[in-house]
Amino acid sequence: MENREERLIFAQKKKPMLKQKISPQEVAAVKKIFVTCKNVVIVCHTSPDGDAIGSSLGLYEYLKRKGKNVSVIVPNYFPDFLHWMKDADKIIMFERQKSLSYSLLKMADLICCLDFNDMRRIDELGGAIGKMRCKRILIDHHLDPDKSKFDFILSRPELSSTSELVFRLLDAMGEKDVLTFAAAEDLYAGMATDTGFFSFNSNDPDLFVIISELLKKGIDKDLINRRIQNNYSPDRLRLIGYVLYEKLEVYPELHASLFAIRKEELTQFHYLKGDMEGIVNMPLQIKGHKLSICLREDTEKPLIRVSTRSVDDFPCNELCAQFFNGGGHKNAAGGTLECSMDEAIEITRKALEAWSEQLKA
Ligand SMILES: [Mn+2]
């Protein structure tokens, strides 16, 4: 016979409920905003990634089902490996469709800003949104949102992704069942890409309860993983080979590495936007490695793009704020430098030197 304590534990286990991370007041505020709006524009950050597009299209699906007129506007190009998502072809690219974007923004009574925390992160589109008179809300998981620009902010930096936050919001609103199959696919893709397919930032057990809910909607996560991960050209694979064989500078005593890739080298591999995606993670496969830095010369503007990745407690965001005019998350951050590649490499070596105590430990 089981004792009372065992029965209790069993009873608790049978209750599949997410810990509530969104307060009743916040739920009520969002509900009120969603009920009263009619024309909604959803925007996400520049150079959108899987989480930006996934959370935007996930929320778009939901609001459409609630009978709203919804559009998604992104600042610029988003990668080909996300184009399989339902209605990805309806996404409006601000850079190329400015007059359409402005007319939708002018008509909107609600603008939902997803997966960024500051209007400056979305360049000219941010300026356009700043001028609109309608309500603006932010749903995001980046640190320190700019509070002055929004009527309502739902910010949860501790969460894996904005897609997770969108799911939690709908769950807290009691609207989980309204989620469509396509929305489930979108939100899964966002959570998967922001956690490196659940290899970092993903120890919250709730995350897997959410995935389980999405799987119940019928999504094929293996297929989604393949659509995202196995979508590259032979050139991209050869570029990876080149970077790792020819370009990687390893500092064994610092448990760190850096590689710098110039425009001419990218051209040699018929570079397309997105081809460098994720390569910065690879040096972290070296035993004991703590930090990986990638410097890439932009193919359009005269600047160097910096990406950094770390493990455990090494703060990439602080490193990037200090040396690369940037910021981000603790284990993944970036920035830009307006200088030559040689100067950028010098700055990076100084940054490594400055952080050598933490890196050596
Ligand atoms: Mn994100």
Side-chain angles (χ1 to χ4, degrees):
M1 266 284 279
E2 54 182 3
N3 61 30
R4 192 177 166 276
E5 205 177 329
E6 274 170 338
R7 269 203 308 275
L8 201 66
I9 290 166
F10 185 66
Q12 280 168 346
K13 274 187 189 159
K14 274 193 85 173
K15 224 174 175 186
M17 243 180 56
L18 294 179
K19 279 176 275 152
Q20 223 36 268
K21 295 200 172 173
I22 301 169
S23 73
Q25 290 81 355
E26 288 174 313
V27 171
V30 175
K31 266 190 183 167
K32 196 174 160 201
I33 292 169
F34 282 172
V35 165
T36 48
C37 69
K38 245 172 83 186
N39 299 313
V40 188
V41 171
I42 299 172
V43 297
C44 62
H45 62 73
T46 302
S47 303
D49 57 10
D51 187 30
I53 298 293
S55 59
S56 296
L57 285 178
L59 184 63
Y60 162 92
E61 276 282 313
Y62 167 75
L63 290 171
K64 256 187 32 180
R65 274 203 81 180
K66 298 304 271 186
K68 313 293 175 185
N69 299 319
V70 199
S71 328
V72 177
I73 302 179
V74 298
N76 62 347
Y77 162 96
F78 65 98
D80 186 58
F81 64 79
L82 299 171
H83 285 240
W84 55 269
M85 288 184 195
K86 185 179 164 230
D87 288 344
D89 57 337
K90 297 200 176 115
I91 292 179
I92 294 147
M93 226 172 282
F94 179 74
E95 212 175 60
R96 292 191 205 155
Q97 295 163 280
K98 280 196 187 160
S99 63
L100 175 59
S101 300
Y102 273 104
S103 65
L104 287 167
L105 287 170
K106 277 179 194 149
M107 258 167 45
D109 46 27
L110 174 65
I111 299 174
C112 301
C113 299
L114 266 59
D115 204 35
F116 66 96
N117 57 359
D118 192 321
M119 289 297 181
R120 282 171 300 184
R121 273 288 278 129
I122 58 169
D123 311 314
E124 199 189 327
L125 178 55
I129 291 172
K131 283 184 212 132
M132 299 300 149
R133 289 206 167 167
C134 67
K135 271 209 158 61
R136 290 182 288 258
I137 66 169
L138 177 75
I139 302 176
D140 178 50
H141 72 131
H142 295 84
L143 282 172
D144 305 324
D146 176 7
K147 295 203 172 84
S148 66
K149 300 287 193 308
F150 303 97
D151 298 284
F152 175 81
I153 293 181
L154 187 63
S155 164
R156 290 292 182 279
E158 71 276 18
L159 297 185
S160 69
S161 51
T162 301
S163 298
E164 179 190 346
L165 182 53
V166 168
F167 182 92
R168 282 180 179 277
L169 174 65
L170 299 181
D171 181 43
M173 288 166 64
E175 295 281 87
K176 195 185 65 182
D177 293 340
V178 183
L179 274 184
T180 59
F181 169 79
E185 284 195 319
D186 301 338
L187 296 180
Y188 172 81
M191 299 193 326
T193 48
D194 254 24
T195 57
F197 295 85
F198 310 101
S199 61
F200 50 83
N201 244 334
S202 49
N203 282 332
D204 180 353
D206 281 358
L207 208 53
F208 299 89
V209 176
I210 296 173
I211 295 169
S212 164
E213 288 296 315
L214 299 177
L215 288 168
K216 284 180 204 155
K217 297 272 178 191
I219 66 163
D220 182 342
K221 75 169 178 56
D222 304 352
L223 173 65
I224 295 173
N225 293 354
R226 283 202 304 276
R227 280 169 177 163
I228 296 172
Q229 292 180 298
N230 301 351
N231 190 46
Y232 290 112
S233 63
D235 280 326
R236 142 98 176 174
L237 286 196
R238 293 186 203 287
L239 176 62
I240 294 173
Y242 174 73
V243 166
L244 298 180
Y245 188 62
E246 300 270 354
K247 307 299 294 186
L248 190 66
E249 278 178 34
V250 182
Y251 299 82
E253 70 288 357
L254 297 179
H255 311 107
S257 58
L258 109 83
F259 61 87
I261 188 128
R262 291 165 207 265
K263 219 160 42 177
E264 312 84 74
E265 294 169 304
L266 292 171
T267 315
Q268 209 184 312
F269 292 92
H270 312 103
Y271 174 77
L272 296 173
K273 269 183 184 166
D275 278 353
M276 283 296 290
E277 200 75 37
I279 302 183
V280 65
N281 293 306
M282 291 183 166
L284 292 177
Q285 292 172 21
I286 299 169
K287 190 176 177 182
H289 227 55
K290 289 184 184 168
L291 173 66
S292 165
I293 303 179
C294 160
L295 304 176
R296 172 173 64 84
E297 196 175 356
D298 195 278
T299 46
E300 287 156 15
K301 296 174 198 155
L303 48 85
I304 309 291
R305 299 203 173 272
V306 185
S307 301
T308 65
R309 296 290 184 275
S310 71
V311 295
D312 297 332
D313 284 335
F314 188 87
C316 286
N317 45 2
E318 288 178 36
L319 177 86
C320 287
Q322 208 181 340
F323 287 93
F324 305 121
N325 311 304
H329 301 285
K330 187 175 73 181
N331 294 133
T336 50
L337 290 172
E338 288 182 31
C339 61
S340 72
M341 183 56 97
D342 289 335
E343 285 163 330
I345 293 171
E346 263 324 292
I347 292 168
T348 308
R349 288 188 182 135
K350 277 188 190 131
L352 288 172
E353 182 56 41
W355 284 84
S356 60
E357 285 307 306
Q358 289 84 344
L359 289 167
K360 275 180 191 162

